[in-house]
Amino acid sequence: MKIVLATQNPGKVQEFTHLAGALDWALIPLSQYSTVSVEETGLTFIENAIIKARHASELSGLPALADDSGIVVDALHGAPGIYSARYAGEKASAAAHIQKLLSQLVNVPEAQRSAHFYCTLVFLRYPADPAPVIAQGKWDGQILFEPRGEQGFGYDPIFYVPTHQCSAAELMPEVKNKISHRGQALQKLLDVLA
């Protein structure tokens, strides 16, 4: 089945391609249809994922899979949350986002640096699908004091995974994909679609 993947993020394209490797899906990045991203005007991960899925399905004429995800830091009252991809500005690099987050936590002790990655996936059969399939995943951890590791993307270098005693950026992709917020959400989505 051909499905448009509603993202312009190369890290997410790579991760979803790996996650969906065993499925009978041909994931086509949105960049094959447009390089223009839709404005994320929602106030929740669910709203933004639906906006992105509808946009991608309209442009491609295909079923769409959209992800809205981010890092939620308890000491920052949930920030950056839905603004994770633009926390340090619209065109800022991952390193700039990480630096801003670390600067916000400079005086926060280790015991109070709890955080989680959150992911909402939305699958639409067509743009006006009145019953989108929604699945969510949550990955608990802590914010490190400095980046560690070279794998992954986004905030992975500062997200400590207690179960594996390393950062998300120190995990091999096949390990991360089994335990991550995105991996959890995709498994739930597949269970519903099955």
Side-chain angles (χ1 to χ4, degrees), residues 2-4 28 33 56-64 124-127:
K2 286 185 177 179
I3 298 172
V4 63
I28 302 166
Y33 298 95
S57 187
E58 285 170 357
L59 288 174
S60 67
L62 296 172
L124 292 177
R125 293 168 294 166
Y126 42 84

Side-chain angles (χ1 to χ4, degrees), residues 9 11-12 15-16 19 45 67-72 81 84 115-121 135-141 152-156 159 161 168 171 175-189:
N9 183 321
K12 285 186 183 181
E15 200 166 281
F16 271 109
L19 282 166
F45 291 112
D67 153 283
D68 198 48
S69 54
I71 193 162
V72 175
S84 295
H116 63 267
F117 274 122
Y118 192 80
C119 173
T120 295
L121 293 181
Q136 300 175 71
K138 180 183 173 194
W139 192 19
D140 294 317
F153 63 97
Y155 294 90
D156 287 356
F159 185 76
V161 183
L171 293 171
V175 174
K176 179 188 173 192
N177 290 339
K178 286 182 182 174
I179 63 174
S180 76
H181 55 308
R182 200 165 285 114
Q184 293 174 42
L186 184 60
Q187 188 55 58
K188 290 176 185 175
L189 182 77

Side-chain angles (χ1 to χ4, degrees), residues 80 83-94 96-98 100 155:
Y83 304 105
S84 295
R86 46 196 185 277
Y87 194 48
E90 287 289 334
K91 303 286 185 195
S93 66
H97 296 309
I98 286 172
K100 179 173 180 179
Y155 294 90

Side-chain angles (χ1 to χ4, degrees), residues 40-48 51 82-83:
E40 296 177 35
T41 56
L43 298 177
T44 66
F45 291 112
I46 292 173
E47 290 172 330
N48 284 333
I51 289 168
I82 63 169
Y83 304 105

